[in-house]
Amino acid sequence: MEPHTDLVAMHMSDGIVNAPTSVIFGLVAVLGLAVCVARARGDLDDRTAPMAGLVAAFVFAVQMLNFPILPGVSGHLLGGALCAILVGPYVGAICVSIVLLLQALLFADGGLSALGTNITNMALIGTFVGYGVAVALRRVALRSRGGLVVVAFVAAWVNTVVASLGFVLEYAIGGQGLALGTVFGLMTGFHALIGIGEGIITALTVGAVAAVRPDLVYLTRSAAPSLTIKSQGVRS
Amino acid sequence: MAFYAGFLVVALLLAGVVSYAASSSPDGLDAVTQTGCELDESGEPVGGTCIAQNAGEHATAASPLADYTVGGSEGTTGIAGVIGVLVTLILAGGLFWALRRRSSKDETPSRVE
């Protein structure tokens, strides 16, 4: 078996953008996560808290699975849309952030000073934009499981591409080494392809959960909370 | 409960077994940061101009789980992956369990055993 020399680095390393840019996006990440922690409480109960822990563990696992997109180039799941659809955007952003934190601390993947940029791109931008797409298409998702699977694919694809645009923004502010137009073209081009893989994985996962435990799919559950939670006494 | 157990088993199999089949090519981001450089066999930039030249040695490169291996040994990716899944589950699950709304006694139609 080939040694996995390049599996090692999947996220931005230290020094890819300059120190001021790292500090700015470190602050963005801290503020964003503070809001998420404050709002996550409302989405967590005895049933959804274990699910959220499992979703984070699942994202860690799937992020290890690089799939080829072009000769010599691979991609892997980012997971923001997947998390948001299953456990909500606030809890979902925390799930992705915990994965990124552990990868940086334990697995030497993603620089410590780059945690702010990596969290901003994958945990905040990807998760919330992906969730926004899913909410915009919620009518389709509520129609049938097939509709939900399609919505999951589209939300995940957009999540991947906008997360890559986050990198382009950070590079524009504090990076050097390659023309900005080239960075933009390559990042969006590669991630439009990676997004297809992200979309397939997200669609399969959300579809599987919806088949077995539709009550654990946040996107479709939160649209009709009174039906699922208080079905005993109150008919709606 | 069976669903949660099944979900965990899937994650463990993906990280512990399927991870050996993962592509070893650089991901989209690394492919961009390496554009313009010649790379040596370990993927380090040795010539040309590229974004990756600005990258520093990782601060936790000496971690026992660095590079998704156990102690740097080849073929231990699956073990490192299983450890990662369990650590993530404990940390994230613990945080979310602590943050959750405590259910009041009269509104628990289905309790998690």
Side-chain angles (χ1 to χ4, degrees):
Chain A
M1 181 152 302
E2 293 286 315
H4 289 72
T5 44
D6 288 312
L7 186 72
V8 305
M10 305 191 300
H11 310 311
M12 285 172 71
S13 307
D14 295 309
I16 293 291
V17 296
N18 62 22
T21 310
S22 297
V23 171
I24 292 169
F25 286 96
L27 286 172
V28 170
V30 167
L31 291 174
L33 283 177
V35 172
C36 289
V37 169
R39 302 290 298 271
R41 196 174 154 74
D43 291 335
L44 292 167
D45 57 30
D46 287 357
R47 197 169 42 103
T48 56
M51 177 63 177
L54 283 164
V55 166
F58 181 79
V59 167
F60 175 90
V62 181
Q63 283 206 357
M64 291 181 72
L65 309 179
N66 285 55
F67 48 84
I69 56 160
L70 288 171
V73 184
S74 72
H76 61 77
L77 181 87
L78 308 185
L82 170 67
C83 291
I85 291 171
L86 290 179
V87 295
Y90 303 108
V91 176
I94 300 170
C95 286
V96 179
S97 300
I98 289 173
V99 170
L100 294 172
L101 179 71
L102 288 175
Q103 287 170 333
L105 289 178
L106 297 180
F107 296 90
D109 180 15
L112 295 181
S113 71
L115 257 177
T117 49
N118 282 322
I119 286 175
T120 301
N121 298 342
M122 288 180 270
L124 297 178
I125 297 176
T127 304
F128 281 94
V129 175
Y131 186 69
V133 170
V135 167
L137 299 172
R138 180 147 58 194
R139 200 173 301 171
V140 179
L142 285 168
R143 205 170 293 162
S144 65
R145 183 138 49 89
L148 172 63
V149 164
V150 171
V151 170
F153 179 93
V154 175
W157 186 84
V158 175
N159 138 79
T160 311
V161 174
V162 295
S164 81
L165 288 175
F167 172 81
V168 176
L169 172 69
E170 290 142 15
Y171 181 80
I173 296 172
Q176 55 170 355
L178 199 60
L180 182 59
T182 308
V183 171
F184 172 82
L186 289 175
M187 277 303 278
T188 52
F190 288 157
H191 286 84
L193 294 173
I194 294 170
I196 296 172
E198 174 116 16
I200 291 170
I201 295 168
T202 303
L204 285 173
T205 307
V206 171
V209 174
V212 190
R213 289 290 300 271
D215 61 309
L216 289 177
V217 179
Y218 182 92
L219 178 70
T220 44
R221 179 184 67 229
S222 58
S226 57
L227 285 177
T228 52
I229 295 174
K230 299 191 176 170
S231 56
Q232 289 177 320
V234 190
R235 302 276 331 163
S236 43
Chain B
M1 194 67 206
F3 171 80
Y4 295 131
F7 201 2
L8 177 60
V9 168
V10 170
L12 289 171
L13 284 175
L14 292 174
V17 180
V18 182
S19 59
Y20 286 101
S23 167
S24 56
S25 297
D27 70 12
L29 173 62
D30 286 327
V32 172
T33 62
Q34 292 167 358
T35 296
C37 279
E38 295 150 42
L39 304 176
D40 66 13
E41 280 178 10
S42 63
E44 293 298 314
V46 288
T49 307
C50 64
I51 303 169
Q53 281 168 322
N54 306 319
E57 173 73 9
H58 200 286
T60 60
S63 160
L65 293 169
D67 304 341
Y68 298 89
T69 60
V70 178
S73 309
E74 231 174 88
T76 54
T77 299
I79 302 169
V82 165
I83 295 171
V85 166
L86 294 176
V87 172
T88 306
L89 176 64
I90 291 165
L91 194 72
L95 174 72
F96 293 137
W97 191 253
L99 280 175
R100 83 193 191 284
R101 284 174 290 118
R102 306 296 197 275
S103 46
S104 57
K105 43 217 171 297
D106 57 348
E107 53 130 18
T108 42
S110 62
R111 277 194 56 88
V112 179
E113 300 296 316

